[in-house]
mmCIF file of all heavy atoms in Angstrom:
data_model
loop_
_atom_site.group_PDB
_atom_site.id
_atom_site.type_symbol
_atom_site.label_atom_id
_atom_site.label_comp_id
_atom_site.label_asym_id
_atom_site.label_seq_id
_atom_site.Cartn_x
_atom_site.Cartn_y
_atom_site.Cartn_z
ATOM 1 N N GLN R 1 0.830 -1.199 -0.009
ATOM 2 C CA GLN R 1 0.019 -0.011 0.000
ATOM 3 C C GLN R 1 0.856 1.282 -0.009
ATOM 4 O O GLN R 1 0.507 2.240 -0.663
ATOM 5 C CB GLN R 1 -0.951 -0.022 1.209
ATOM 6 C CG GLN R 1 -2.036 -1.019 1.071
ATOM 7 C CD GLN R 1 -2.975 -1.042 2.271
ATOM 8 O OE1 GLN R 1 -3.413 0.011 2.725
ATOM 9 N NE2 GLN R 1 -3.242 -2.222 2.816
ATOM 10 N N MET R 2 1.962 1.246 0.749
ATOM 11 C CA MET R 2 2.830 2.393 0.782
ATOM 12 C C MET R 2 3.494 2.601 -0.591
ATOM 13 O O MET R 2 3.648 3.770 -1.045
ATOM 14 C CB MET R 2 3.890 2.261 1.861
ATOM 15 C CG MET R 2 4.799 3.477 1.990
ATOM 16 S SD MET R 2 3.936 5.033 2.350
ATOM 17 C CE MET R 2 3.799 4.893 4.114
ATOM 18 N N VAL R 3 3.874 1.534 -1.259
ATOM 19 C CA VAL R 3 4.445 1.643 -2.614
ATOM 20 C C VAL R 3 3.417 2.328 -3.554
ATOM 21 O O VAL R 3 3.770 3.246 -4.301
ATOM 22 C CB VAL R 3 4.866 0.257 -3.150
ATOM 23 C CG1 VAL R 3 5.087 0.280 -4.639
ATOM 24 C CG2 VAL R 3 6.073 -0.278 -2.398
ATOM 25 N N ALA R 4 2.187 1.869 -3.459
ATOM 26 C CA ALA R 4 1.121 2.450 -4.343
ATOM 27 C C ALA R 4 0.928 3.959 -3.990
ATOM 28 O O ALA R 4 0.815 4.775 -4.908
ATOM 29 C CB ALA R 4 -0.151 1.701 -4.201
ATOM 30 N N LEU R 5 0.940 4.291 -2.726
ATOM 31 C CA LEU R 5 0.771 5.707 -2.345
ATOM 32 C C LEU R 5 1.963 6.544 -2.817
ATOM 33 O O LEU R 5 1.738 7.633 -3.353
ATOM 34 C CB LEU R 5 0.634 5.776 -0.815
ATOM 35 C CG LEU R 5 0.342 7.125 -0.193
ATOM 36 C CD1 LEU R 5 -0.440 6.938 1.097
ATOM 37 C CD2 LEU R 5 1.587 7.919 0.064
ATOM 38 N N ALA R 6 3.156 6.005 -2.668
ATOM 39 C CA ALA R 6 4.367 6.745 -3.056
ATOM 40 C C ALA R 6 4.354 6.973 -4.601
ATOM 41 O O ALA R 6 4.736 8.051 -5.065
ATOM 42 C CB ALA R 6 5.607 6.017 -2.670
ATOM 43 N N ARG R 7 3.898 5.987 -5.337
ATOM 44 C CA ARG R 7 3.858 6.102 -6.790
ATOM 45 C C ARG R 7 2.720 6.982 -7.255
ATOM 46 O O ARG R 7 2.917 7.908 -8.009
ATOM 47 C CB ARG R 7 3.746 4.696 -7.394
ATOM 48 C CG ARG R 7 3.683 4.669 -8.933
ATOM 49 C CD ARG R 7 3.332 3.321 -9.468
ATOM 50 N NE ARG R 7 2.018 2.885 -8.976
ATOM 51 C CZ ARG R 7 1.788 1.725 -8.350
ATOM 52 N NH1 ARG R 7 2.778 0.864 -8.138
ATOM 53 N NH2 ARG R 7 0.580 1.435 -7.921
ATOM 54 N N ASP R 8 1.494 6.677 -6.799
ATOM 55 C CA ASP R 8 0.283 7.292 -7.350
ATOM 56 C C ASP R 8 -0.034 8.665 -6.766
ATOM 57 O O ASP R 8 -0.509 9.538 -7.500
ATOM 58 C CB ASP R 8 -0.906 6.381 -7.134
ATOM 59 C CG ASP R 8 -0.713 5.003 -7.789
ATOM 60 O OD1 ASP R 8 0.087 4.928 -8.741
ATOM 61 O OD2 ASP R 8 -1.378 4.053 -7.352
ATOM 62 N N GLN R 9 0.215 8.877 -5.472
ATOM 63 C CA GLN R 9 -0.114 10.168 -4.868
ATOM 64 C C GLN R 9 1.078 11.068 -4.732
ATOM 65 O O GLN R 9 0.989 12.283 -5.010
ATOM 66 C CB GLN R 9 -0.798 9.944 -3.505
ATOM 67 C CG GLN R 9 -2.155 9.275 -3.620
ATOM 68 C CD GLN R 9 -2.777 9.048 -2.256
ATOM 69 O OE1 GLN R 9 -2.600 9.829 -1.353
ATOM 70 N NE2 GLN R 9 -3.545 7.976 -2.126
ATOM 71 N N LEU R 10 2.183 10.529 -4.276
ATOM 72 C CA LEU R 10 3.384 11.364 -4.073
ATOM 73 C C LEU R 10 4.202 11.495 -5.362
ATOM 74 O O LEU R 10 5.117 12.320 -5.432
ATOM 75 C CB LEU R 10 4.246 10.804 -2.934
ATOM 76 C CG LEU R 10 3.553 10.715 -1.565
ATOM 77 C CD1 LEU R 10 4.496 10.084 -0.551
ATOM 78 C CD2 LEU R 10 3.101 12.113 -1.119
ATOM 79 N N ARG R 11 3.937 10.664 -6.316
ATOM 80 C CA ARG R 11 4.618 10.682 -7.604
ATOM 81 C C ARG R 11 6.122 10.503 -7.472
ATOM 82 O O ARG R 11 6.912 11.132 -8.178
ATOM 83 C CB ARG R 11 4.323 11.987 -8.376
ATOM 84 C CG ARG R 11 2.866 12.221 -8.599
ATOM 85 C CD ARG R 11 2.386 11.430 -9.787
ATOM 86 N NE ARG R 11 1.006 11.784 -10.084
ATOM 87 C CZ ARG R 11 0.077 10.882 -10.376
ATOM 88 N NH1 ARG R 11 0.396 9.614 -10.392
ATOM 89 N NH2 ARG R 11 -1.146 11.237 -10.670
ATOM 90 N N LEU R 12 6.514 9.603 -6.546
ATOM 91 C CA LEU R 12 7.950 9.321 -6.394
ATOM 92 C C LEU R 12 8.353 8.311 -7.458
ATOM 93 O O LEU R 12 7.556 7.548 -7.983
ATOM 94 C CB LEU R 12 8.240 8.733 -5.013
ATOM 95 C CG LEU R 12 8.019 9.729 -3.864
ATOM 96 C CD1 LEU R 12 8.236 9.029 -2.505
ATOM 97 C CD2 LEU R 12 8.913 10.943 -3.976
ATOM 98 N N HIS R 13 9.624 8.309 -7.757
ATOM 99 C CA HIS R 13 10.195 7.413 -8.807
ATOM 100 C C HIS R 13 10.821 6.159 -8.179
ATOM 101 O O HIS R 13 10.836 5.110 -8.775
ATOM 102 C CB HIS R 13 11.273 8.175 -9.616
ATOM 103 C CG HIS R 13 12.062 7.319 -10.500
ATOM 104 N ND1 HIS R 13 11.560 6.718 -11.622
ATOM 105 C CD2 HIS R 13 13.364 6.915 -10.409
ATOM 106 C CE1 HIS R 13 12.512 5.996 -12.204
ATOM 107 N NE2 HIS R 13 13.605 6.084 -11.489
ATOM 108 N N ARG R 14 11.301 6.318 -6.915
ATOM 109 C CA ARG R 14 12.074 5.215 -6.316
ATOM 110 C C ARG R 14 11.870 5.180 -4.811
ATOM 111 O O ARG R 14 11.800 6.231 -4.169
ATOM 112 C CB ARG R 14 13.553 5.484 -6.642
ATOM 113 C CG ARG R 14 14.518 4.519 -6.061
ATOM 114 C CD ARG R 14 15.967 5.002 -6.426
ATOM 115 N NE ARG R 14 16.973 4.244 -5.757
ATOM 116 C CZ ARG R 14 17.365 4.480 -4.497
ATOM 117 N NH1 ARG R 14 16.853 5.469 -3.786
ATOM 118 N NH2 ARG R 14 18.290 3.724 -3.953
ATOM 119 N N LEU R 15 11.829 3.983 -4.256
ATOM 120 C CA LEU R 15 11.859 3.787 -2.784
ATOM 121 C C LEU R 15 13.064 2.951 -2.449
ATOM 122 O O LEU R 15 13.429 2.027 -3.206
ATOM 123 C CB LEU R 15 10.585 3.129 -2.287
ATOM 124 C CG LEU R 15 9.298 3.936 -2.310
ATOM 125 C CD1 LEU R 15 8.154 3.081 -1.762
ATOM 126 C CD2 LEU R 15 9.450 5.223 -1.544
ATOM 127 N N GLN R 16 13.644 3.245 -1.304
ATOM 128 C CA GLN R 16 14.735 2.495 -0.809
ATOM 129 C C GLN R 16 14.420 1.951 0.566
ATOM 130 O O GLN R 16 13.695 2.583 1.323
ATOM 131 C CB GLN R 16 15.986 3.413 -0.717
ATOM 132 C CG GLN R 16 17.194 2.729 -0.067
ATOM 133 C CD GLN R 16 18.418 3.612 -0.100
ATOM 134 O OE1 GLN R 16 18.838 4.038 -1.206
ATOM 135 N NE2 GLN R 16 19.012 3.890 1.062
ATOM 136 N N ALA R 17 14.964 0.778 0.868
ATOM 137 C CA ALA R 17 14.837 0.230 2.218
ATOM 138 C C ALA R 17 16.226 -0.193 2.667
ATOM 139 O O ALA R 17 16.975 -0.810 1.906
ATOM 140 C CB ALA R 17 13.913 -0.967 2.222
ATOM 141 N N GLU R 18 16.555 0.175 3.901
ATOM 142 C CA GLU R 18 17.839 -0.214 4.493
ATOM 143 C C GLU R 18 17.539 -1.298 5.526
ATOM 144 O O GLU R 18 16.844 -1.049 6.508
ATOM 145 C CB GLU R 18 18.525 0.987 5.164
ATOM 146 C CG GLU R 18 18.757 2.169 4.264
ATOM 147 C CD GLU R 18 17.587 3.139 4.169
ATOM 148 O OE1 GLU R 18 16.604 3.001 4.944
ATOM 149 O OE2 GLU R 18 17.629 4.027 3.308
ATOM 150 N N ILE R 19 18.069 -2.480 5.327
ATOM 151 C CA ILE R 19 17.737 -3.610 6.176
ATOM 152 C C ILE R 19 18.974 -4.320 6.673
ATOM 153 O O ILE R 19 19.873 -4.597 5.884
ATOM 154 C CB ILE R 19 16.843 -4.626 5.391
ATOM 155 C CG1 ILE R 19 15.596 -3.890 4.831
ATOM 156 C CG2 ILE R 19 16.453 -5.773 6.255
ATOM 157 C CD1 ILE R 19 14.738 -4.745 3.887
ATOM 158 N N MET R 20 19.009 -4.640 7.947
ATOM 159 C CA MET R 20 20.125 -5.372 8.465
ATOM 160 C C MET R 20 20.210 -6.737 7.820
ATOM 161 O O MET R 20 19.160 -7.393 7.624
ATOM 162 C CB MET R 20 19.985 -5.536 10.043
ATOM 163 C CG MET R 20 20.107 -4.222 10.775
ATOM 164 S SD MET R 20 19.920 -4.395 12.541
ATOM 165 C CE MET R 20 21.491 -5.136 12.956
ATOM 166 N N PRO R 21 21.409 -7.184 7.457
ATOM 167 C CA PRO R 21 21.535 -8.496 6.777
ATOM 168 C C PRO R 21 20.941 -9.653 7.557
ATOM 169 O O PRO R 21 20.473 -10.627 6.985
ATOM 170 C CB PRO R 21 23.055 -8.643 6.621
ATOM 171 C CG PRO R 21 23.565 -7.234 6.604
ATOM 172 C CD PRO R 21 22.676 -6.487 7.543
ATOM 173 N N THR R 22 20.932 -9.562 8.899
ATOM 174 C CA THR R 22 20.426 -10.604 9.726
ATOM 175 C C THR R 22 18.875 -10.591 9.830
ATOM 176 O O THR R 22 18.285 -11.536 10.346
ATOM 177 C CB THR R 22 21.020 -10.519 11.140
ATOM 178 O OG1 THR R 22 20.730 -9.241 11.672
ATOM 179 C CG2 THR R 22 22.489 -10.782 11.121
ATOM 180 N N ASN R 23 18.230 -9.551 9.366
ATOM 181 C CA ASN R 23 16.780 -9.438 9.460
ATOM 182 C C ASN R 23 16.146 -10.115 8.244
ATOM 183 O O ASN R 23 15.679 -9.458 7.305
ATOM 184 C CB ASN R 23 16.339 -7.960 9.556
ATOM 185 C CG ASN R 23 14.885 -7.844 9.924
ATOM 186 O OD1 ASN R 23 14.085 -8.773 9.781
ATOM 187 N ND2 ASN R 23 14.513 -6.650 10.386
ATOM 188 N N ILE R 24 16.143 -11.402 8.255
ATOM 189 C CA ILE R 24 15.674 -12.199 7.118
ATOM 190 C C ILE R 24 14.190 -11.923 6.833
ATOM 191 O O ILE R 24 13.782 -11.824 5.699
ATOM 192 C CB ILE R 24 15.848 -13.712 7.401
ATOM 193 C CG1 ILE R 24 17.320 -14.039 7.701
ATOM 194 C CG2 ILE R 24 15.339 -14.553 6.214
ATOM 195 C CD1 ILE R 24 18.305 -13.672 6.629
ATOM 196 N N ALA R 25 13.366 -11.791 7.878
ATOM 197 C CA ALA R 25 11.944 -11.550 7.662
ATOM 198 C C ALA R 25 11.696 -10.263 6.914
ATOM 199 O O ALA R 25 10.922 -10.200 5.936
ATOM 200 C CB ALA R 25 11.215 -11.522 8.989
ATOM 201 N N SER R 26 12.392 -9.176 7.285
ATOM 202 C CA SER R 26 12.205 -7.898 6.633
ATOM 203 C C SER R 26 12.733 -7.950 5.193
ATOM 204 O O SER R 26 12.149 -7.327 4.292
ATOM 205 C CB SER R 26 12.889 -6.781 7.423
ATOM 206 O OG SER R 26 12.534 -5.537 6.884
ATOM 207 N N ARG R 27 13.813 -8.641 5.023
ATOM 208 C CA ARG R 27 14.353 -8.811 3.649
ATOM 209 C C ARG R 27 13.356 -9.525 2.752
ATOM 210 O O ARG R 27 13.143 -9.118 1.613
ATOM 211 C CB ARG R 27 15.684 -9.555 3.691
ATOM 212 C CG ARG R 27 16.800 -8.717 4.298
ATOM 213 C CD ARG R 27 18.090 -9.449 4.508
ATOM 214 N NE ARG R 27 18.488 -10.200 3.336
ATOM 215 C CZ ARG R 27 19.393 -11.173 3.353
ATOM 216 N NH1 ARG R 27 19.960 -11.536 4.478
ATOM 217 N NH2 ARG R 27 19.718 -11.807 2.252
ATOM 218 N N CYS R 28 12.720 -10.561 3.290
ATOM 219 C CA CYS R 28 11.713 -11.287 2.514
ATOM 220 C C CYS R 28 10.504 -10.424 2.198
ATOM 221 O O CYS R 28 9.972 -10.480 1.075
ATOM 222 C CB CYS R 28 11.264 -12.558 3.273
ATOM 223 S SG CYS R 28 12.525 -13.836 3.332
ATOM 224 N N VAL R 29 10.064 -9.603 3.155
ATOM 225 C CA VAL R 29 8.956 -8.675 2.910
ATOM 226 C C VAL R 29 9.318 -7.754 1.764
ATOM 227 O O VAL R 29 8.488 -7.580 0.811
ATOM 228 C CB VAL R 29 8.619 -7.865 4.201
ATOM 229 C CG1 VAL R 29 7.715 -6.683 3.877
ATOM 230 C CG2 VAL R 29 7.997 -8.734 5.260
ATOM 231 N N ALA R 30 10.477 -7.124 1.808
ATOM 232 C CA ALA R 30 10.891 -6.187 0.778
ATOM 233 C C ALA R 30 10.961 -6.910 -0.589
ATOM 234 O O ALA R 30 10.427 -6.384 -1.594
ATOM 235 C CB ALA R 30 12.218 -5.559 1.128
ATOM 236 N N GLU R 31 11.553 -8.062 -0.619
ATOM 237 C CA GLU R 31 11.712 -8.798 -1.901
ATOM 238 C C GLU R 31 10.352 -9.208 -2.462
ATOM 239 O O GLU R 31 10.105 -9.110 -3.650
ATOM 240 C CB GLU R 31 12.641 -9.984 -1.713
ATOM 241 C CG GLU R 31 14.075 -9.542 -1.498
ATOM 242 C CD GLU R 31 15.010 -10.666 -1.097
ATOM 243 O OE1 GLU R 31 14.604 -11.863 -1.098
ATOM 244 O OE2 GLU R 31 16.157 -10.342 -0.743
ATOM 245 N N ARG R 32 9.404 -9.665 -1.586
ATOM 246 C CA ARG R 32 8.074 -10.022 -2.070
ATOM 247 C C ARG R 32 7.339 -8.792 -2.649
ATOM 248 O O ARG R 32 6.452 -8.954 -3.467
ATOM 249 C CB ARG R 32 7.268 -10.621 -0.959
ATOM 250 C CG ARG R 32 7.533 -12.143 -0.763
ATOM 251 C CD ARG R 32 6.502 -12.800 0.093
ATOM 252 N NE ARG R 32 6.371 -12.228 1.400
ATOM 253 C CZ ARG R 32 7.053 -12.583 2.486
ATOM 254 N NH1 ARG R 32 7.936 -13.559 2.409
ATOM 255 N NH2 ARG R 32 6.822 -12.015 3.657
#
């Protein structure tokens, strides 16, 4: 939902996420 908001309402081109290498769950969320 945040990706859609950033694209459609805020008109951003790119989002970045900084994730600790050991945070496998968050990495999986981002990749999905």
Side-chain angles (χ1 to χ4, degrees):
Q1 290 179 47
M2 183 58 84
V3 165
L5 185 150
R7 180 190 60 234
D8 300 338
Q9 294 180 33
L10 300 177
R11 303 280 185 223
L12 294 177
H13 170 70
R14 176 183 172 278
L15 289 181
Q16 174 174 303
E18 304 87 8
I19 304 172
M20 292 179 74
T22 57
N23 191 342
I24 304 300
S26 189
R27 290 173 49 196
C28 289
V29 167
E31 289 171 8
R32 278 194 302 271

